[in-house]
Amino acid sequence: MDILPSNIQKLIELFSCLPSIGPRQATRLVFYLINQGPNKIVKLANQIQELEKIKICSFCFFPHQNQNGLCNICSNPERDPKTIMIVEKETDLISLEKATSFRGRYFIIGDISKKALFEDWQKLRIQNLKSFIQKNLRGKANEIILAFNPDSLGNLVASLIEKEIKDFALKITRLGRGLPTGGEIEFADDETLRSSIENRQ
C-alpha cells in the first residue's frame, strides 16, 4: 500500500522531471511546500500559471511578454543586430548579459545532447538565423560569437555550428580563455565572463 496520497506522489513525479532534481530532492521540495501552508501554495501555483503568458522571441528564442514578438534585447534599437552571440541556453544568456560587455544580440540554440547531435527544432533555429542574416544583414553578419562552455562537448558543438554558418559572417569568434577548461558559463563570475567576451578570438 502506498503511504503517500496520490496528489503528493504525482507532484513528486513532476518535480523529478525537472533538471538536476531527483526523486529524493523532489520529495523534500513537496513536503517543504506542504509545510509552508495553503496561502504560499496558492501563491506559488498562481505564479506558475502566469508562465502561460510568456512568449518566445521570434529571433533569439528568449522568453518575453512584449507585443512585437521580440524580447527586450532584440527590440532595443541600441543593440547591434550585426553582431550575434550564439549560446546554448537561456541561463548562459543571462550570465553573459550581466557581464555588461556585449552590445550585440544573442541567439539561443537550445540544450545540446551529450552526442552533440542537433534535434530537428535546433536545425530549424539555425536555418532561421541564416534566413535572418540573408534578409536583414545582406547575407553576412559582421561577427558571430560562438559562446559555448570550454569543454570537449562545447568545442565540438562550436565547430559544427561554425561549419553551418561560415558563409554568413565576416568573422566568427569564440569566447576568450578567461573561462577555465571544463567550466560552465552559467556559473562563471561577471569578471571572468567580461574578460572572455573582451578577449574573444
Side-chain angles (χ1 to χ4, degrees), residues 5-15:
S6 61
N7 51 0
I8 291 180
Q9 191 60 52
K10 286 175 184 175
L11 190 54
I12 289 171
E13 289 169 8
L14 285 172
F15 278 179

Side-chain angles (χ1 to χ4, degrees), residues 94-122:
I94 292 167
S95 297
L96 288 159
E97 185 64 10
K98 282 181 181 175
T100 66
S101 290
F102 182 63
R103 299 307 302 161
R105 284 188 178 186
Y106 297 94
F107 185 85
I108 300 168
I109 193 69
D111 284 333
I112 295 160
S113 71
K114 299 290 184 188
K115 297 179 181 177
L117 297 173
F118 295 129
E119 303 286 345
D120 288 342
W121 57 270
Q122 290 175 311

Side-chain angles (χ1 to χ4, degrees), residues 1-188:
M1 187 176 84
D2 291 333
I3 63 170
L4 292 175
S6 61
N7 51 0
I8 291 180
Q9 191 60 52
K10 286 175 184 175
L11 190 54
I12 289 171
E13 289 169 8
L14 285 172
F15 278 179
S16 297
C17 296
L18 297 173
S20 304
I21 303 289
R24 185 175 295 179
Q25 193 170 3
T27 304
R28 288 197 194 108
L29 285 171
V30 171
F31 281 109
Y32 170 81
L33 291 174
I34 291 170
N35 290 322
Q36 294 301 297
N39 288 342
K40 288 201 173 176
I41 291 172
V42 170
K43 188 176 180 181
L44 177 63
N46 289 340
Q47 201 57 52
I48 290 173
Q49 196 163 12
E50 285 290 304
L51 293 176
E52 291 179 344
K53 300 175 183 176
I54 294 296
K55 303 167 187 174
I56 301 299
C57 180
S58 59
F59 174 71
C60 76
F61 302 100
F62 193 71
H64 70 91
Q65 284 186 287
N66 301 328
Q67 297 302 315
N68 63 359
L70 296 174
C71 69
N72 291 341
I73 293 174
C74 290
S75 58
N76 184 347
E78 296 182 6
R79 306 294 291 234
D80 177 13
K82 296 180 180 178
T83 303
I84 301 166
M85 184 182 294
I86 302 179
V87 298
E88 180 183 355
K89 50 190 185 289
E90 294 85 355
T91 47
D92 292 340
L93 185 157
I94 292 167
S95 297
L96 288 159
E97 185 64 10
K98 282 181 181 175
T100 66
S101 290
F102 182 63
R103 299 307 302 161
R105 284 188 178 186
Y106 297 94
F107 185 85
I108 300 168
I109 193 69
D111 284 333
I112 295 160
S113 71
K114 299 290 184 188
K115 297 179 181 177
L117 297 173
F118 295 129
E119 303 286 345
D120 288 342
W121 57 270
Q122 290 175 311
K123 293 175 183 176
L124 191 58
R125 285 190 180 188
I126 294 171
Q127 192 54 50
N128 286 345
L129 177 61
K130 292 178 183 178
S131 297
F132 171 83
I133 293 172
Q134 203 94 48
K135 293 175 184 174
N136 300 284
L137 305 181
R138 298 182 179 179
K140 284 192 187 288
N142 285 346
E143 180 182 9
I144 293 179
I145 305 160
L146 303 174
F148 294 96
N149 294 325
D151 54 24
S152 55
L153 178 61
N155 291 334
L156 176 57
V157 170
S159 65
L160 291 173
I161 292 179
E162 185 169 0
K163 287 177 184 175
E164 286 281 339
I165 60 168
K166 63 183 179 181
D167 296 328
F168 293 84
L170 297 175
K171 180 167 64 170
I172 296 176
T173 58
R174 297 284 311 271
L175 290 182
R177 289 300 176 181
L179 284 169
T181 299
E184 293 190 26
I185 291 170
E186 180 180 353
F187 301 113

